[in-house]
């Protein structure tokens, strides 16, 4: 493996205490197995002496990139990959969690034909050092399950990755927000042949984890974005149905309100129906058809009203008819149910085809 060109990308944020150990471990790999190895440290302006530390090491195979804006793990990793000029790239954490000794095995897997290698705690042979709190463990498990629709990889949360630079260059529309750059790359580089390399995942010895609540929130948004990317019509439909359900609830509530305010039932029901339709329009436009804001909102609204007219009018007349003998809540609920039944598939197809193309 001596002649393979490999770049290790090491994102760091306040890892001053961990870096000397990591550099030493990587240097060992360079001396023993991968001579043509470069280390790119991408530091997000830690301001903890990292810069001085690395400069004073005076190692020509280490390159330091300091990013001064837009702090974040994924953009740092991407900046590092862009700077790499080698055939192979390896991404790993700087806190000592990932064993540098596994780097050759990770590269070998790619050399042998896999698109992507993941240093894995959960594949046979992989282990996790004790001392993970229940909360952290649960957190990782839930996050892993949420990644299931995108990949069968057992440890998709891993930040220990290897791939060819050319694979990265195929990436479609990378969205470097959040922590899980591995998942993003597997999906966006369309990697089907992913191999997990068993590793022993050590507990961070020095410094603190940067996995905060906001990072976890970003992960949820990341999953939604990936779902929209991989299964746009399904997400669209489910969002549309959810908005429809919320609209039905709102319609019942609005009818209770308008029936108090107006004595004329045809008017009070019509106002409730119109407000509900507008409510649906706003949320469908924002969430169910997130990617179709090319037409003017007024045009889209007119199209939406036109297409909804059949189920909305059905809903209206059913509610009006029912309200003669029943409480307004029941009448509105029945109207909404009938309207929704007609509307759910028909409206979705029509709005998808003609309004939010
Ligand atoms: N450049 C950069 N690196 C980061 C940032 N956040 C975390 N890291 C690095 O990413 C790696 C994993 O972070 P860590 O805090 O250990 O996350 P955890 O293992 O999930 O607790 C470490 O090397 C961190 O220094 C960031 O905002 N910018
Ligand atoms: Mg860590």
């Amino acid at each position: 493996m001596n002649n393979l060109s490999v770049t290790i990308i090491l994102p760091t944020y306040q890892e001053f205490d961990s870096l000397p150990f990591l550099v030493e471990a990587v240097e060992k790999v360079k001396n023993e197995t991968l001579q043509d190895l470069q280390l790119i440290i991408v530091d997000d302006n830690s301001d903890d002496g990292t810069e001085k530390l690395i400069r004073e090491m005076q190692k020509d195979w280490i390159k330091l990139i300091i990013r001064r804006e837009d702090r974040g793990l994924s953009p740092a990793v991407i900046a590092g990959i862009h700077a790499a000029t080698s055939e192979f790239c390896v991404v790993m954490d700087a806190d000592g969690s990932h064993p540098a000794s596994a780097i050759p095995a990770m590269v070998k897997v790619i050399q042998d034909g896999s698109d992507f290698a993941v240093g894995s705690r959960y594949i046979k042979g992989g282990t996790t050092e004790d001392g993970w709190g229940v909360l952290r463990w649960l957190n990782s498990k839930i996050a892993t399950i949420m990644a299931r629709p995108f990949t069968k990889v057992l440890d998709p949360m891993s930040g220990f990755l290897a791939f060819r630079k050319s694979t990265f260059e195929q990436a479609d529309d990378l969205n470097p927000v959040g922590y899980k750059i591995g998942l993003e790359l597997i999906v966006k580089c369309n990697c089907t042949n992913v191999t997990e390399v068993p590793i022993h995942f050590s507990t961070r010895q020095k410094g603190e984890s940067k996995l905060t609540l906001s990072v976890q929130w970003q992960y949820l948004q990341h999953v939604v974005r990936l779902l929209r990317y991989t299964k746009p019509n399904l997400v669209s439909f489910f969002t549309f149905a959810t908005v429809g359900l919320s609209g039905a609830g709102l319609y019942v509530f609005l009818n209770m309100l308008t029936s108090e305010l107006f004595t004329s039932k045809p008017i009070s029901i019509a106002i409730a129906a119109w407000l509900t339709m507008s409510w649906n329009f706003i949320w469908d436009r924002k969430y169910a058809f997130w990617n179709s804001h090319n037409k003017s909102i007024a045009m889209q609204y007119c199209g939406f009203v036109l297409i909804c007219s059949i189920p909305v009018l059905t809903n209206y007349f059913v509610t009006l008819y029912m309200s003669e003998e029943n409480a307004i809540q029941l009448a509105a609920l029945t109207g909404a149910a009938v309207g929704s039944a007609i509307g759910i598939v028909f409206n979705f197809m029509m709005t998808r085809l003609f309004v939010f193309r």
Side-chain angles (χ1 to χ4, degrees), residues 80-97:
I81 306 172
H82 274 301
T85 53
S86 58
E87 186 178 356
F88 298 93
C89 295
V90 175
V91 179
M92 65 191 290
D93 288 359
D95 60 354
S97 301

Side-chain angles (χ1 to χ4, degrees), residues 193-338:
N193 186 357
V194 183
T195 301
E196 293 184 71
V197 175
I199 59 161
H200 174 65
F201 187 96
S202 313
T203 302
R204 160 192 283 286
Q205 298 295 323
K206 309 200 179 277
E208 277 167 26
S209 168
K210 283 94 205 170
L211 183 75
T212 56
L213 220 64
S214 97
V215 166
Q216 295 176 37
W217 171 238
Q218 279 178 5
Y219 177 65
L220 280 183
Q221 295 175 310
H222 190 186
V223 168
V224 172
R225 262 203 316 273
L226 288 178
L227 271 177
R228 285 174 164 188
Y229 178 80
T230 51
K231 302 184 171 58
N233 287 331
L234 196 71
V235 175
S236 221
F237 182 74
F238 272 103
T239 315
F240 187 81
T242 310
V243 169
L245 201 67
S246 77
L250 182 74
Y251 180 64
V252 174
F253 172 76
L254 284 175
N255 265 297
M256 286 159 63
L257 210 69
T258 52
S259 63
E260 294 289 326
L261 295 174
F262 302 91
T263 42
S264 154
K265 275 194 185 133
I267 290 181
S268 69
I269 297 171
I271 292 174
W274 172 70
L275 286 174
T276 304
M277 188 168 58
S278 306
W279 160 274
N280 282 18
F281 172 79
I282 292 167
W283 300 113
D284 279 338
R285 184 172 187 274
K286 193 166 163 63
Y287 293 113
F289 304 103
W290 67 92
N291 52 359
S292 35
H293 292 175
N294 46 351
K295 267 195 266 175
S296 84
I297 186 162
M299 281 286 289
Q300 285 185 330
Y301 186 70
C302 292
F304 191 86
V305 170
L306 206 68
I307 286 166
C308 289
S309 56
I310 295 173
V312 169
L313 284 175
T314 312
N315 173 0
Y316 173 79
F317 285 113
V318 169
T319 310
L320 192 61
Y321 173 77
M322 288 279 295
S323 68
E324 279 170 20
E325 306 229 322
N326 299 285
I328 189 67
Q329 289 94 319
L330 182 66
L333 198 63
T334 316
V338 176

